[in-house]
Amino acid sequence: MASSTVRPDSHDGAEDGDVSDADVAERLLRSAAKLSYDPAAEVDWDTPLDKNFHGQSPEWNSLYGTAYWNEMTEEQRKELTRQEAASVASTGIWFEMILQQMVLRDMYAKDPTDPRFQWALTEIADECRHSIMFGRGSAKLGAPAYRPRRTVLELGRAFKTVGFGEAAYAAILVAEEVLDVMQRDWMRDERVAPFVRTISNIHVVEESRHMKFARDETRRRLARASTARRHFHALVVAIASYYIVTSMVSPDVYVQAGLDPERARREAAANEHYKSQLRSSCAGLMEFLASARLLTRPALLIYKRASLI
């Protein structure tokens, strides 16, 4: 079984510096061949859920630190963390399906002998396995199928249709950077269910390669972009970020956990601890977006509204 304490190399065999796009893709392909997992075999799906464990590190829960959290029993807290972990996973599935379509469209009719083309298909294969893994994990946590609001689902359809180039790859970073930071905490936390720790470890290891490719592609696509195009995509990525992050915790988790949903939503919306967690998880992302000149004034306003900066 995949160790839940493996710390992936942040570069995954792809050194920063003056290397060609093909070199980066080739190194990522070699890394994938050396260190990839089959969740069907690596995750312990057969052992029944032990409700003595949390589903996420409690500090990542949307109610952690609130008056409501302090009033809850330990059993209620554990149930809520399990439901929120499943909601985060469901949001991940939703956005990973959008990203798969965008990457496939980007690679349509490209040279199949190009390592970049081959890496893109490798990444899509990873995402397919991750989505199945998240789905099975949510079911094991005893959660229903959480989905974003209908409006957000339709906006996702529009985004995957009109998003292209650097917007597609910067959006991959948006979706994965927040998950990466929180799941690094979960995979080391012995309070979290062992199978969730294993799922988190698998995702962190494999997504580190996806993020490396996404950063390189974003920089490459922006190298010759006009000011108007850069400003447009800065806004598109910021809007995508807002809806991804605000959709991670479905309001239905509070109902499923037996809480008063109105009070829970109200206290979660005002929870400064959770907002601080989000900001800390996005520090690296914001540094990258600033270096790529994608932190325009309108984009900054949206990131602040989403508590990402």
Side-chain angles (χ1 to χ4, degrees), residues 95 98-99 102 105 155-163 167-168 171 236 240:
F95 205 70
I98 291 174
L99 297 178
M102 294 172 74
R105 189 172 67 246
L155 286 171
R157 292 184 196 277
F159 179 63
K160 71 181 178 61
T161 301
V162 303
V236 168

Side-chain angles (χ1 to χ4, degrees), residues 21-296:
D21 300 324
D23 285 340
V24 170
E26 285 174 349
R27 292 178 183 183
L28 292 174
L29 284 166
R30 288 197 296 270
S31 176
K34 180 180 178 182
L35 185 59
S36 291
Y37 297 110
D38 176 5
E42 300 287 347
V43 180
D44 180 4
W45 299 114
D46 297 328
T47 301
L49 175 67
D50 185 345
K51 292 190 176 182
N52 290 314
F53 287 100
H54 288 275
Q56 61 181 174
S57 296
E59 293 79 10
W60 274 101
N61 190 267
S62 64
L63 289 179
Y64 182 85
T66 65
Y68 206 172
W69 178 270
N70 293 335
E71 294 173 17
M72 293 162 60
T73 65
E74 191 62 19
E75 290 72 21
Q76 286 176 313
R77 292 171 182 169
K78 289 174 180 176
E79 180 61 28
L80 181 59
T81 63
R82 290 193 290 269
Q83 295 300 320
E84 284 204 11
S87 180
V88 169
S90 294
T91 302
I93 293 169
W94 164 65
F95 205 70
E96 284 185 343
M97 291 185 73
I98 291 174
L99 297 178
Q100 288 174 53
Q101 293 176 69
M102 294 172 74
V103 173
L104 272 176
R105 189 172 67 246
D106 186 54
M107 291 295 159
Y108 178 71
K110 298 289 177 64
D111 180 1
T113 67
D114 185 343
R116 289 178 57 253
F117 178 94
Q118 295 169 21
W119 168 254
L121 293 189
T122 300
E123 180 170 331
I124 290 167
D126 287 347
E127 299 292 16
C128 288
R129 292 195 304 276
H130 294 170
S131 293
I132 295 169
M133 175 176 72
F134 285 158
R136 293 185 69 180
S138 295
K140 184 163 181 172
L141 286 167
Y146 293 113
R147 293 185 180 89
R149 303 188 315 273
R150 171 56 60 183
T151 301
V152 178
L153 286 174
E154 296 307 322
L155 286 171
R157 292 184 196 277
F159 179 63
K160 71 181 178 61
T161 301
V162 303
F164 64 93
E166 58 272 16
Y169 291 99
I172 290 174
L173 288 176
V174 169
E176 302 301 348
E177 288 274 3
V178 178
L179 276 176
D180 180 73
V181 174
M182 69 169 62
Q183 288 186 319
R184 283 175 186 266
D185 286 346
W186 300 3
M187 74 189 212
R188 299 185 182 96
D189 192 337
E190 294 185 358
R191 298 170 297 176
V192 174
F195 82 95
V196 175
R197 297 180 66 198
T198 303
I199 287 172
S200 298
N201 181 69
I202 290 171
H203 197 245
V204 164
V205 169
E206 297 186 346
E207 289 296 339
S208 64
R209 294 188 287 262
H210 301 184
M211 290 189 289
K212 170 62 180 173
F213 188 68
R215 290 187 197 99
D216 286 356
E217 285 297 300
T218 301
R219 290 192 186 99
R220 190 174 72 85
R221 306 301 177 97
L222 283 170
R224 297 182 181 178
S226 66
T227 299
R229 173 171 166 162
R230 180 171 56 83
H231 277 256
F232 172 73
H233 278 167
L235 187 61
V236 168
V237 172
I239 293 171
S241 302
Y242 176 85
Y243 285 111
I244 293 166
V245 170
T246 57
S247 296
M248 285 197 306
V249 179
S250 169
D252 292 338
V253 302
Y254 306 124
V255 177
Q256 197 70 22
L259 304 181
D260 176 349
E262 293 302 319
R263 181 185 175 188
R265 291 175 68 177
R266 185 170 61 252
E267 294 201 22
N271 189 355
E272 290 302 323
H273 171 81
Y274 184 69
K275 293 176 183 178
S276 175
Q277 290 283 86
L278 289 177
R279 285 192 292 271
S280 66
S281 72
C282 285
L285 171 64
M286 293 304 151
E287 283 184 21
F288 172 79
L289 294 177
S291 71
R293 298 188 299 158
L294 287 174
L295 280 186
T296 59

